Amino acid sequence: MKKENGGGSKNPKPTLQFGGDDASRLVGGIVEKGFSDNPQGGRPIAPPRPSVLPFPVARHRSHGPHWAPKIGGSNVVNANDYVGNDNREEEDFDGMEVAASIANPVQRKERKGVDFSQWKEIVKNNGTKKEPVRETKEINSDNLSRRVADPDEHVIEKRQRPQNHSPKSEGSNVVKKLPTWRDGSSKDGQVDLKMKSMQKSKVASGFAAQKLVGGEEVGIESQIDAENRAQLSKMTADEIAEAQAEIMNKLNPELINLLKKRGQTKVKRQKFSLSDVVTGSEADSVQSQKNRSKLNENTTSDKPLKIVTTDTLQDKDDKASSNISAENCSMWDAWSKRVESARDIRFSVEGKIIRSDFARVSDDGKPSSESGYSADNVSERDFLRTEGDPGASGYTIKEAVALSRSVIPGQRTIALHLIAAVLDNAICSISQNQVDSEGPVDWEAVWAFALGPEPELALSLRMSLDDNHNSVVLACVKVIQCVLSCTMNEIVFDILEKTPTYVGGACTAPVFRTKPDVNVGFIRGGFWKYNVKPSNILHFHEEESEGDKDEGEHTIKDDVVLAGQDFAAGLVRMGILPRICFLLETDPSAPLEECLISILIAIARHSPTCAAAIIDSGKIVQTVASRFASKEQMEINICKIKSVTLLKVLAQYEKKNCLSFINSGILHKVTWHLYRYPNSLDQWMKSGAEACKLSSALLVEQLRLYKVFIRYGYCISDFSNMFTSLCMWLSVPTIEKLMENNVMIEYCAITKEVYLILEVLVCRLPNFYSDVREKTEDVAEGKDTWSWSQFGSIIDLALEWVQVKNIAPLTRLFNCQNSVGEIRSLQDSEINSLLWVISSVLNMLSSVLKAVIPEDFTSLPNGRLSWLPEFVPKVGLEIIKNGYFRFSENGSIVDYLCRLRIENGRELAISSTCCIQGLVRVVDFVDKLIQHANLEIHQKPSKFESAPEEDKILANGILKFCAVEVQYSLTNLMKQIMNKWQSTKLVEIFSRGGPAPGVGVGWGASDGGYWSLNTLLTQQEARLLVDLLEISEIPPTAQTLDCALTACLTVGPGNSSVIDKLLNFMFRVPVLKYLNLGIEKFLSVKQGFSPFKWDYEEDEYLLFANALATHFRNRWLTVKKKQKSTGEKINHKSKKKDARFLETIDENMDESNQESLSSLKLEWAYQRLPLPTHWFLSAISTVNFMKIDSTGETYMEMPENFLEVSKAGLFFLLGIEAIPASLTSEFFSPVECVTVVWKLHAISVVLLSGMGVLEDEKSRDVYETLQNIYGKIVDEKELHKSLQFESEIHKNYPTFIETLVEQFAAESYGDVLFGRQIAMYLHRSVEASVRLAAWNGLSNARALELLPPLDKCFSKAEGYLEPIEDDEKILEAYVKSWVGGALDRAAKRSSMSFALVLHHLSSFIFGDVVGDMLSLRNKLVKSLLRDYSRKQQQHEGMLVKLICYYNKSDRVYEIERRLQLLKQICDGNLASVEKIESCIKLNYLI
């Protein structure tokens, strides 16, 4: 570029016209940090030259671009302009050079308050004087050109600096000077060559990220490597050799070897896949833990700088944080420590962990997690990144979020891509159960920190969504997609839609449990509540007048706080929906539109409030539907498919949404493909595999949308119009042809969905034997129904799929089940698609058969059906002929499906389970209809002896013939359920701040939580278990009972019917009788127990069964709903709220077990499932219920059958405790997983309501037996303080003890069993706070004498006496009770309370006391002696027993030693000691 106005003009004239080249020179002409007083120069302003290589710098947008001072007026970095040209004239025409030298970053406003996040560094540097910040001096052009030309030299001097200078201490704000290399060692020619090569590289065009911004998935490292190779290709061999020699001379040999090894490691790392890298990192982590004390062998020669490997930075406490004990820290502290460890993890642009080879060590020898860089000197770090591999240092999450606010679009895009990659890796690892808090990467902690309140990711994303660069907006919506787990959730919901039991799915909003209450005995498993109150999500939900508006009513702080509790809700509150609507209206690109609709789907799945926000916005739904219809009608793309999915999710929430879609014509716009007469199957296959895939996906979503409308009762009559176009998908095609064209999966997906929608239509069929009058009534009421005449051909087409022997690939598949080594012709995905079709067909047929069964067989003449439909025996015969069960020596399909469910992947296991479930239901319904039919074979069986074997099996019952196989399948299923339940039992760990279901994929539980395939499989197996238990008619066993208890723990929201059926199975008279037999066997076998002298009657079993079933249904299956307001409505506008606070979650709810019929969606909130592990203790732990009357006042109400429920609960608890103890079972009972602390607490709660349980003879014996069982468990525990009531039950447990003691003192009258239960809280393994509360309560109530002797307690005496009491408050409480007279009667009655005092006080006072305990001993002795001087007659015997309490040899010597000790401590009470000494000598003959 030629130099304009070389001499420069003093008064240049501004020009406003620029050419194409001149326009580019304006880049950098804006001065952000300084302003010039001089007018603009007449020549174009030179573009800025960065002082470092253009790699993204993680600084705030307000810092601006830090440019080097402008040198001259040239834009071209040329050696001829800067080297050896000292005589040229350099004038500052525009004042930019002055501005550049004084420009500083804008200092961000400091936050109010004190930040204690770095308190250790503050304490460490306390008292040290901070040095003033020294500004960097202006550098001349020669040095600047050298620095830009050869940045490696700068890096070299940086690394060699510690040899001559001490390292900078942490916390210092000193900005180091940039080195000015004046030695002139580099040759001018070499500098010129490098400057020219840098000029030719595209430095200012993309910051090595333009390809990524444009949409290509190219890594930053590969781009930089390509630029370096391009630069080397322009150099000659001599120039390369000369440059290498110069580098070799300057670098340390050890450092050169280190860099070579690192390069070799990178080359090897690139050869392996991602899974191999993860495995390798885990192996390296294990190896590094073995050599934790050793330093890395590859260290530099810098002596003053301590260098360790990053693997040695892991603290031992952090490693054991997941298994931290309650003594040291709570689970919340351990979780907080895990999340805090994610703060310093650095990531590459691909989202991979950057593991630097070295880490700085602090002066005290401990590894420092601080990087040593701050916002002021971060440029030093970014300068160091330019050496070799700029991505080596990576970014932390907070740095990436800060970089997303950069002024440069390319940097914002790169930062957002990095965040998206990190979150995607985290969610994938969590869902694949690759989470290990002790492993190399704790992805749960990374996910929690990223979505936490500190990075303020939601606010940054909302700002980026308003960006005016399309690349930034696209990268932003991809991050939001990852945060909302759109892809992972859609995978799970897609599999859920394939199951026949799916209705609407559960909402994904994060929830937490309500706190346990004393009224329910502190039992866990309260109602779920949303993390965010729904009214806080939409802050514009009420129209307010201008006079009511407050200036600070809606602040960004409120949005950020709410986003920290619920990320999706925070985005909605920040107004993401209007912005998405605007972007959709501006005709976005296909990738952007797809991401936007995916985000809308995730928001709609979040909660009813968010779905209503989308509906109420008005424009969003209309815009999506309009874009669906405005595009090429025959064209099918992903955006259209997701548009239908969005409408389906919205329609599931409310019935009125469906009506709105019908009236507005939206339904017809998006489902017109279903009415189009299809082409032949051959033409469909000829369109290509990709076109078939898209058309299949669109048809599937349209059918699912239509199925929602049918469930609500809409569009049923219209189904006959589209049935003609759907018939092509009902019949069995030529499977081989589909496999050749690679479209079998797509065809099966459509077929499966058609049969699922037909199953929903079956529910609209009238009962086959119902009166015609019911049909006319439905028509009169306007209800859409379907007739049986329309269903005959459908059953025939469905039977074609049941005849698997006529389908060649399925025949080969089922026949090769015994040949393990044979290569199957079908892939797993193809097998899975076929199984889903068979599952939908079988479940549709089961629904048809269920509609045929009369509601009441007793109303029929002679209890028999007059005639039977033709398709009923036809279905049964096809089941028999096609080998679904083992009717011959050959294998059966059920055996194959059972093995497939165990050995293969999760989705295959789910599909095979659904197949077995549908088959079981079909066979059960066929048998019921055949047995109740008026068949001649039942009346005259001799006439049909020559009938075919299939007919005989059908007439006698299919299940009866294959009972052995059903039993075998049930046994295998129970094994699977018992082995998996522990991996899914931990749904919630903490309250609002920790992992919980609904957060993305619900990663609060292992294996991904309740949005994982493992949990879906477990719940589907629970449904199959219920069906098998109902049809098997096997006698109750310990295995089936334990499995039923376990299955109750795995069932989630929407599956309350499964628990209801399991309750019906467990609480039957035969099961309770079996429990009684187990109790009798246990009492006769176990030592120390004696059998009961009474038996339960039949009426008592029936009473117990009804009481328990009713209690557990009301306790766990009720749904909580908001109470309808009564009386006058409160004017909320009149009450002006403080705008600084968000509304709290309303606790004023009313319980009802009637679910709303206006919504198909399920909510985690307002219900209690899944059950806690100790749910069966609620029968004896529920004290009373809190009710709310019409006036809003609360009162306590005792349940009517409380006593019956308590008696039944005690019996049931003893039964499930006795059976596992008396039988050697391979199953691990869930009862054993409940700690003895909870069980002891439960039998204490039952006494809060009075002595009713203990007054009944039978329940009293049961209660005593439970005490003895738990007493033996306590005696077997060797750990000290094993009974952690306060830590494990509730933090206010001492208050509960006070209430229990008051009840004991008021009603017990010294009852031994009640006293034993209270005495248990004085056991030495109980926490000190609980023991103190129990003792003080007994002492204040003068009830210490009511406690039984030690030999009558249900635990050994050693547990109460050892170890010696060392708690100061408890010892003082003992003496206080002694002095106050609370122990007077206890001493006379030989109560265990006085025995405790004698043992512990005597052992403490006369034992080896050192240190601070000496003053306590002296204090206690003086109190006892003063009390003796005042109450000599009353307490003389007690004090004598205290002094003479010694059971070892040399008793006389010990008593004398104790008396001498008392004389030393008496402090003026020597006369009292002498009196007690004379009394002892007189009575004990000393």
Side-chain angles (χ1 to χ4, degrees), residues 956-1179:
N956 295 326
I958 302 176
L959 290 176
K960 186 182 297 184
F961 193 87
C962 58
V964 177
E965 190 171 3
V966 172
Q967 179 64 32
Y968 177 76
S969 302
L970 178 60
T971 304
N972 289 335
L973 179 63
M974 288 191 296
K975 290 181 180 179
Q976 293 297 315
I977 293 176
M978 297 294 289
N979 291 334
K980 295 177 184 176
W981 75 276
Q982 297 211 36
S983 63
T984 58
K985 67 176 182 177
L986 292 178
V987 183
E988 75 278 5
I989 301 178
F990 314 112
S991 57
R992 188 175 300 194
V999 184
V1001 293
W1003 47 272
S1006 55
D1007 298 337
Y1010 265 81
W1011 305 122
S1012 65
L1013 300 185
N1014 290 324
T1015 303
L1016 297 184
L1017 174 60
T1018 305
Q1019 297 196 11
Q1020 204 63 39
E1021 290 175 342
R1023 290 182 176 273
L1024 178 58
L1025 174 68
V1026 170
D1027 293 336
L1028 291 177
L1029 289 176
E1030 288 180 348
I1031 68 172
S1032 60
E1033 298 181 358
I1034 59 175
T1037 61
Q1039 290 81 0
T1040 56
L1041 188 58
D1042 285 345
C1043 189
L1045 289 170
T1046 303
C1048 291
L1049 301 176
T1050 62
V1051 176
N1055 296 316
S1056 57
S1057 60
V1058 177
I1059 295 184
D1060 186 66
K1061 293 179 180 179
L1062 290 173
L1063 292 178
N1064 291 335
F1065 168 77
M1066 288 186 292
F1067 301 118
R1068 298 177 299 159
V1069 173
V1071 176
L1072 297 183
K1073 288 183 178 180
Y1074 174 76
L1075 290 177
N1076 190 33
L1077 292 176
I1079 294 174
E1080 293 177 358
K1081 183 177 181 180
F1082 170 80
L1083 296 178
S1084 60
V1085 171
K1086 289 293 181 178
Q1087 186 177 3
F1089 297 91
S1090 57
F1092 297 145
K1093 299 178 181 179
W1094 42 261
D1095 293 324
Y1096 285 108
E1097 303 294 336
E1098 187 77 16
D1099 295 341
E1100 291 179 291
Y1101 287 124
L1102 185 61
L1103 180 63
F1104 285 175
N1106 294 333
L1108 290 175
T1110 303
H1111 164 77
F1112 287 123
R1113 287 193 189 96
N1114 295 334
R1115 177 67 176 84
W1116 299 111
L1117 302 183
T1118 53
V1119 177
K1120 194 175 189 180
K1121 296 182 180 180
K1122 287 187 178 180
Q1123 183 188 11
K1124 296 182 180 180
S1125 60
T1126 58
E1128 297 182 0
K1129 294 183 179 179
I1130 301 174
N1131 186 6
H1132 295 281
K1133 295 182 181 179
S1134 62
K1135 295 182 179 180
K1136 184 174 290 186
K1137 302 177 187 176
D1138 189 356
R1140 299 178 181 272
F1141 300 97
L1142 299 173
E1143 297 181 29
T1144 57
I1145 296 177
D1146 187 14
E1147 291 287 351
N1148 190 15
M1149 300 286 185
D1150 187 21
E1151 295 182 11
S1152 173
N1153 53 4
Q1154 296 179 356
E1155 298 183 1
S1156 175
L1157 300 177
S1158 61
S1159 177
L1160 300 177
K1161 271 290 183 179
L1162 300 168
E1163 294 185 74
W1164 274 87
Y1166 315 130
Q1167 56 89 44
R1168 289 188 172 99
L1169 299 182
L1171 300 178
T1173 311
H1174 52 267
W1175 66 272
F1176 52 86
L1177 296 177
S1178 65

Side-chain angles (χ1 to χ4, degrees), residues 1318-1324 1331 1334-1335 1338 1347 1360 1392 1396:
I1318 296 297
M1320 180 265 303
Y1321 292 104
L1322 300 177
H1323 199 276
R1324 282 294 286 124
R1331 284 187 283 119
W1335 182 269
L1338 290 168
L1347 297 180
Y1360 297 92
M1392 60 92 60
L1396 286 181

Side-chain angles (χ1 to χ4, degrees), residues 100-126:
S101 62
I102 64 175
N104 292 319
V106 176
Q107 298 295 329
R108 299 185 66 181
K109 186 177 180 180
E110 296 182 358
R111 297 180 177 178
K112 295 181 180 181
V114 183
D115 184 13
F116 294 97
S117 59
Q118 298 181 354
W119 65 273
K120 292 184 179 180
E121 287 77 4
I122 294 175
V123 175
K124 176 182 175 182
N125 297 328
N126 189 18

Side-chain angles (χ1 to χ4, degrees), residues 1304 1307-1315 1346-1347:
F1304 170 69
E1307 295 190 16
S1308 69
Y1309 295 99
D1311 184 86
V1312 177
L1313 297 186
F1314 206 154
L1346 299 180
L1347 297 180

Side-chain angles (χ1 to χ4, degrees), residues 1402 1406 1439-1463 1473 1476-1486:
S1402 176
F1406 304 112
L1439 187 58
V1440 169
K1441 290 181 180 179
L1442 177 67
I1443 299 174
C1444 299
Y1445 185 81
Y1446 191 76
N1447 298 324
K1448 298 181 181 180
S1449 58
D1450 300 332
R1451 185 168 179 269
V1452 175
Y1453 172 78
E1454 177 63 22
I1455 294 176
E1456 292 179 353
R1457 186 189 69 82
R1458 294 183 177 186
L1459 291 172
Q1460 293 298 324
L1461 180 63
L1462 294 179
K1463 291 179 182 180
V1473 178
I1476 197 68
E1477 181 179 7
S1478 61
C1479 180
I1480 292 174
K1481 290 181 178 180
L1482 179 63
N1483 294 331
Y1484 292 90
L1485 303 177
I1486 295 179

